[in-house]
Amino acid sequence: MSLLDYFRTTKPSSASIAKERLQILVAHERSSKTQPSYLPQLQKELLEVIRKYVNVEQDAISVNFEQDDDQEILELNIVLPDEHDKVS
Amino acid sequence: MARIIVVTSGKGGVGKTTTSAAIAMGLAKKGHKTAVIDFDVGLRNLDLVMGCERRVVYDLVNVINGEAALNQALIRDKRCNQLYILPASQTRDKEALTIEGVGKVLEELAKEFKYVVCDSPAGIEKGATLAMYFADDAFVVTNPEVSSVRDSDRMLGILASKSKRAENNEEPIKEYLLLTRYSPDRVKLGEMLSVEDVQEILSLHLLGVIPESKSVLNASNSGIPVILDEKSDAGQAYDDVVARYLGEDRPHRFIDEEKKGLFGKLFRSK
């Protein structure tokens, strides 16, 4: 590997940065398009219920929807706070 | 039965009107009776690019509202007698368009014409969604640039869900990629997304690449569709696009950097 190659690999071209950013963005936007429309509302209501018992942050809940050929998976992830943060 | 083509992109300024004018002229020149409709109500410009701005009497909204007959509003091109232009209204807004109205106009055009080219406005509002609603084929005009590629992907989603074909569970709209304002030398330097990059992201059938070219502005300056400038690279690229669309097998051109001779190197004109 020559010195020139070293510099090339450390500094990607702006076009390759553009491509990478677009691939991530487009994949994300395509997947969110197929999500059921009730997801944001579901997330909000779940948060309200959980907050009755545990003092969790706004971003402590993530709701994910995935679709395969023959099944749909609704994934719910709740991060509980440390013991001393609990309500009463 | 006519084939309805929508020229769309989401983003503005990528070359929709230039493309609409060029391919409509190209199809007409090959002997197919073609109509080209400006859907950009309120900001019409196709008439100017086609060079018939002083001959506009009635427009699309007049026809929809029954204030003029379709034949009165259609402007026959002076260079090619197979080509007709239906201008947009300059004074109304996009709300003047209705799905029933547009459907009726297209149905009437379909009886007489082989191809109907719909020049979509930018954005995803009423004018744009109505321009694509009845389409059989979509030319997605894209620049090798992040915001244009993203908007094109968004348009693909809308084409697949909010068209007449989608709603009636018919065969989906055929989508083609048209990459415009392409600079092979910048691609080589790693400053611009390549044809392959854009195709990989959008996974679309490539209909053609139109190089960044001075001839496009020169053509619109004088109201001549650039495809009529047969000596120009952009004109030839559009000619290839029309031929490919009609089923001809033509290799892609203008994708690689042109080799400059000593003269070219000394006097860089591009």
Side-chain angles (χ1 to χ4, degrees), chain B residues 52-238:
Chain B
C52 63
E53 69 276 9
R54 295 175 65 182
R55 296 166 63 206
V56 176
V57 183
Y58 296 111
D59 57 56
L60 176 61
V61 175
N62 291 138
V63 178
I64 287 175
N65 291 347
E67 295 150 8
L70 185 57
N71 287 334
Q72 289 176 291
L74 283 170
I75 303 168
R76 187 184 200 148
D77 191 88
K78 286 196 166 155
R79 295 152 296 208
C80 180
N81 60 12
Q82 296 285 72
L83 179 60
Y84 290 77
I85 298 122
L86 183 55
S89 170
Q90 181 70 314
T91 49
R92 311 291 269 274
D93 63 31
K94 289 182 175 69
E95 296 309 305
L97 295 177
T98 60
I99 200 160
E100 299 80 19
V102 172
K104 256 177 83 183
V105 170
L106 286 174
E107 199 180 309
E108 215 178 319
L109 285 170
K111 287 181 202 152
E112 255 193 82
F113 290 87
K114 183 81 189 294
Y115 292 102
V116 180
V117 179
C118 302
D119 180 20
S120 170
I124 49 172
E125 276 142 60
K126 206 167 183 184
T129 50
L130 278 179
M132 69 171 58
Y133 185 76
F134 297 96
D136 301 305
D137 301 311
F139 287 14
V140 181
V141 182
T142 308
N143 289 171
E145 179 264 326
V146 284
S147 47
S148 175
V149 175
R150 180 199 211 171
D151 288 1
S152 291
D153 186 66
R154 184 99 167 77
M155 292 322 278
L156 292 175
I158 297 174
L159 281 166
S161 61
K162 288 180 184 157
S163 66
K164 189 180 164 202
R165 281 173 174 265
E167 283 175 9
N168 295 348
N169 275 322
E170 290 169 42
E171 200 187 319
I173 296 174
K174 276 210 186 92
E175 302 153 342
Y176 301 95
L177 174 64
L178 208 72
L179 202 57
T180 54
R181 308 200 68 165
Y182 195 71
S183 303
D185 41 345
R186 299 203 71 184
V187 172
K188 205 180 168 201
L189 288 171
E191 296 176 350
M192 186 181 266
L193 290 165
S194 70
V195 192
E196 294 80 22
D197 291 342
V198 179
Q199 256 187 298
E200 200 184 318
I201 294 162
L202 296 177
S203 37
L204 272 185
H205 178 74
L206 180 70
L207 200 56
V209 176
I210 315 295
E212 173 80 58
S213 169
K214 288 179 178 174
S215 56
V216 173
L217 183 57
N218 280 331
S220 76
N221 280 344
S222 29
I224 300 165
V226 69
I227 199 169
L228 293 177
D229 185 356
E230 287 160 12
K231 289 201 184 88
S232 71
D233 46 1
Q236 291 172 18
Y238 273 119

Side-chain angles (χ1 to χ4, degrees), chain A residues 4 8 17-18 23 28 55 66:
Chain A
L4 201 67
R8 263 194 206 131
I17 297 169
Q23 276 173 327
H28 178 75
N55 186 16
E66 271 173 47

